[in-house]
Amino acid sequence: MPNPDLRRTNRHALAALGLILLIGRGAAAWAEPHPLDPLSADEISRAITVIANSGRVNRETRATIVTLQEPEKAAVLDHKLGLPPRREAFAVLRIDGETYEVVIDLGTETLDSWTHVVNVQSAIQSEEWAKAQTTVKEDPRWQDAMRARGYTAFNDIFCESLSAGYFAVPEEEGRRLLKMPCYDITNARVNIYARPIEGVIAVFDLDAGEMIELIDEGVVPVGATLHELGEETAPPLADKMRPVRTEAPLGWNFTIDQRMVTWQGWSFHLGFDQRFGPVISLVTHQDEGRERMVMYQGFISEVFVPYMDDTPSWAYRTYLDAGEFGLGSLASPLAASTDCPADAVFLDATLASPSGHATTRERVLCVFERDPGAPLWRHHESLTGVEESRPSTELVVRAIPSVAHYDYILDWVFTQGGEIRMNIGATGIDSVKALAPDDGGEAIAATSGHHGTTVAADLLAINHDHFFSLRLDLDVDGSNNRFVREHMERVILPEASRRRSLWQVVPETVNVEAALSSQGGAKYGALKTPMSRPR
């Protein structure tokens, strides 16, 4: 525990460094955290205090990540034997245009390590978006481009802050860049993307704090239609449906003790990370009274989203949604009765802001049971006319990150049949390219190599992909597992056989532990964000 007098002495000095701290602590006692519990507000504050007191930061320093430095797997598993590992925090800092990784021992409140990581970029921060937005709109070159399109005032123009991608362009090497398309958001309520100001891209250097280039491909008329979303614009229904969900009068069948969830023989730890979103750990299942390990940890490690348009204002759009923006940082609050059942259990998350504040993100996770509408198992025996069937219930852990125009519905699903599923859905709004109305949207889509689909007379939804990468550390009855990939081969049978051929399964075996160790086991260390780094 630090000296409280030292905290009071340094309070104003710490604020001057730009790392604004939550100095006070609650006096109430709290339970000892699980080794995989996310950092509390108090732990975030203590980690930032250590960083600020190090003498290595300045007023412009920002913390792009402050999260739990997870203990080694062996230490976590030993926790069940009453051997709690030490609590550590991991931080990624931006200092004078450079990236640093820092590990803080929260027990002794000292630095464990301070590493300068060269040629990498950290996640883009919300205050960087705001700074870029303001500065670009003050630039005379950008204002001239807007005036050429008929705008004399700029309050109703929004410029989106997007990662610039990496294409080995010499003048972009080592720079922390955004590329910023703009939209007319006059009278927009939910859909701010319906009226793109097409072909104008501001290139902004975040470290230099200036617009370094303006890409202008020529004037394309901005559409007049808002394409708004809401009940007033929804198509009329002949009859309104009555609700089909009802609250369970006896309550849920699951329990949540701190962050340990138990249900129908399943048990797992539910964490949350600003980069990865929900983190499922220590998954076990009861088998005739014996607790069997199934998975040590699982989470979405990255989402790669490349768009299929080669024009200068679109070709750079190759996003890394987890690393560059954050699936946890952009997790949106969940609404009862629509995002999750009305009586779901909703959970908050504590995250760190770039200035070091601990902030509470409310209702970013929900846990609930559901009827999948199909039996768990059934068989009808025609000979006897007897049927046996079992109803099915599933447990769902849900988060919905809203990454710009897309909303990803991320569901971890546990079943009574011993299955774990990761269901991923995308909803929200398509990213659209404005077309000149007098050219005819369909004709342009056809002549441009079919890069998209016209969704309105003057809007083209650009074709693109979403590649989800999952980190799954499966420990089925222990860590010495094998990954078996099976393929089918045709077997030609002898001439005497009435069958000409059969197929047989041929297995290929990989040692999972060896494969993981060859890739490195650190949750964050192997997953850096290359905004401007050679792949």
Side-chain angles (χ1 to χ4, degrees), residues 120-337:
V120 300
Q121 297 287 346
S122 56
I124 307 167
Q125 301 299 300
S126 57
E127 64 177 32
E128 291 181 312
W129 305 346
K131 177 182 178 181
Q133 171 95 197
T134 300
T135 307
V136 162
K137 292 173 72 171
E138 291 173 348
D139 191 288
R141 293 168 293 175
W142 181 88
Q143 292 184 357
D144 287 344
M146 293 302 109
R147 290 190 183 98
R149 289 157 173 82
Y151 293 97
T152 57
F154 313 122
N155 289 338
D156 289 329
I157 295 176
F158 165 72
C159 296
E160 192 173 20
S161 300
L162 303 177
S163 55
Y166 181 81
F167 303 96
V169 179
E171 55 267 29
E172 293 183 356
E173 287 289 344
R175 301 183 102 165
R176 188 168 173 82
L177 301 179
L178 296 178
K179 291 192 175 179
M180 305 177 63
C182 301
Y183 304 85
D184 185 333
I185 60 171
T186 305
N187 297 322
R189 188 180 67 88
V190 177
N191 185 5
I192 66 172
Y193 303 100
R195 306 179 68 206
I197 303 173
E198 194 58 54
V200 181
I201 303 291
V203 183
F204 192 83
D205 188 321
L206 286 166
D207 288 331
E210 62 182 7
M211 188 180 82
I212 61 172
E213 182 185 359
L214 186 72
I215 300 171
D216 192 339
E217 299 179 90
V219 175
V220 175
V222 177
T225 306
L226 292 176
H227 299 292
E228 257 307 339
L229 308 170
E231 289 188 4
E232 66 276 11
T233 57
L237 297 175
D239 296 297
K240 291 216 175 221
M241 291 183 64
R242 59 183 175 82
V244 296
R245 283 197 295 259
T246 58
E247 295 185 10
L250 300 179
W252 296 117
N253 295 295
F254 63 86
T255 62
I256 303 178
D257 183 4
Q258 292 183 272
R259 304 193 74 91
M260 292 300 300
V261 182
T262 57
W263 176 82
Q264 293 289 291
W266 288 107
S267 174
F268 59 90
H269 181 274
L270 176 55
F272 193 84
D273 184 88
Q274 68 185 84
R275 178 169 177 171
F276 308 121
V279 178
I280 306 294
S281 305
L282 300 176
V283 180
T284 65
H285 196 275
Q286 290 285 337
D287 182 8
E288 296 183 348
R290 182 166 66 98
E291 186 177 66
R292 301 179 63 181
M293 176 69 84
V294 178
M295 182 172 72
Y296 178 75
Q297 193 169 74
F299 55 87
I300 294 177
S301 60
E302 192 51 270
V303 187
F304 176 49
V305 189
Y307 278 76
M308 302 296 120
D309 189 303
D310 61 353
T311 57
S313 57
W314 279 84
Y316 70 91
R317 304 188 195 212
T318 54
Y319 310 128
L320 297 170
D321 281 350
E324 292 174 337
F325 304 106
L327 301 179
S329 297
L330 296 180
S332 52
L334 301 172
S337 298

Side-chain angles (χ1 to χ4, degrees), residues 378-388:
R378 60 101 63 191
H379 176 64
H380 178 87
E381 181 48 65
S382 300
L383 183 63
T384 62
V386 176
E387 178 178 316
E388 281 286 343

